[in-house]
Amino acid sequence: MKEESSNKKLITMAMLAALAYLFMVVGRVVIIPAVGFLKYDPKDIIIAIGGFIYGPLAAFMISAVVSFVEFLTVSSTGIIGLVMNVISTCAFVCPAAFIYKKNHTMKGATIGLGVGCIAMVAVMILWNYLITPIYMGYPREAIVKLIIPGFLPFNLIKSGLNAGLTLIIYKPVVTALRKSNLVAPSTDVDAARDSRFGYVFVSSVLLVTCVLSILVFKEII
């Protein structure tokens, strides 16, 4: 029974990794206006769902696998891009997964994703400050000038979009996995009391805020 459960977990994680890779490939065509070389990456949505199901260590493992396959296939940023991908994703999904693991409720998911957004923004500002001058050949002074108008809004919008979309598709994805007998049925009473309206409302507010922010950056509104 334990071996069967482990096999199901590996199969599910592999499926989520493949889906995250697909999301990444599709998302490469979307550019959030801020800094030209920064591109929106939606793979964090699927990896966060994996973290919600199996915990932060599983989220890290899925992130590492997807980023490595991306490095071997479609990425043009080399080993630095691989490292930055893993750092960015884990800064977002691991805190969210850890908090949700402790509190399997709508509130726990929302707080976890909120903390993940803050963590990712802070971590990526620091790492872009340290690494971008080396990778892009920019003087560090130029990078400092991009923090407020560039890196900060980009990471806020990216993490906000991913958090909102995670809340929207988490239930359908987990329900499908449970119907396929790949994920055990939920026995968490608090989770059963969560309101579907709450998920939709919170995620809608996040998504609308992010879309409006993009429109402001494009000077459409």
Side-chain angles (χ1 to χ4, degrees):
M1 182 65 69
K2 185 176 181 181
E3 183 179 351
E4 181 182 356
S5 178
S6 297
N7 289 337
K8 286 183 179 180
K9 180 177 179 179
L10 287 175
I11 292 170
T12 305
M13 288 174 62
M15 290 174 57
L16 291 172
L19 188 57
Y21 178 83
L22 179 62
F23 268 50
M24 177 275 300
V25 172
V26 173
R28 289 176 70 85
V29 302
V30 181
I31 300 177
I32 297 176
V35 180
F37 58 84
L38 298 176
K39 292 185 178 181
Y40 172 59
D41 188 349
K43 69 173 178 285
D44 292 1
I45 300 166
I46 303 301
I47 298 174
I49 291 173
F52 279 180
I53 297 171
Y54 294 120
L57 179 58
F60 166 76
M61 293 171 64
I62 298 172
S63 171
V65 169
V66 175
S67 296
F68 185 69
V69 176
E70 178 182 355
F71 163 71
L72 294 177
T73 54
V74 299
S75 176
S76 60
T77 56
I79 192 67
I80 292 179
L82 168 63
V83 173
M84 293 288 276
N85 259 329
V86 175
I87 290 173
S88 174
T89 297
C90 288
F92 175 68
V93 302
C94 289
F98 177 81
I99 291 172
Y100 186 68
K101 187 176 181 180
K102 300 294 183 182
N103 185 7
H104 273 266
T105 63
M106 164 65 182
K107 181 179 179 181
T110 305
I111 292 174
L113 289 168
V115 171
C117 289
I118 295 170
M120 195 198 84
V121 170
V123 166
M124 292 315 295
I125 286 177
L126 173 61
W127 278 88
N128 277 296
Y129 173 79
L130 295 173
I131 299 298
T132 303
I134 300 172
Y135 172 67
M136 299 296 295
Y138 290 175
R140 200 170 297 280
E141 294 77 12
I143 299 302
V144 172
K145 292 179 181 179
L146 285 174
I147 289 177
I148 300 300
F151 296 114
L152 178 61
F154 170 82
N155 285 296
L156 281 172
I157 293 172
K158 174 186 172 182
S159 60
L161 283 172
N162 287 342
L165 290 169
T166 299
L167 288 174
I168 287 177
I169 72 171
Y170 171 70
K171 288 288 186 180
V173 169
V174 173
T175 299
L177 291 173
R178 284 174 179 154
K179 287 181 178 179
S180 302
N181 200 31
L182 290 172
V183 174
S186 175
T187 58
D188 195 313
V189 176
D190 290 332
R193 294 174 181 170
D194 279 347
S195 168
R196 184 175 296 274
F197 172 77
Y199 278 101
V200 173
F201 176 77
V202 173
S203 57
S204 297
V205 170
L206 278 172
L207 292 176
V208 169
T209 301
C210 291
V211 170
L212 289 175
S213 299
I214 293 172
L215 294 176
V216 169
F217 274 111
K218 286 189 172 183
E219 297 183 350
I220 296 176
I221 59 174

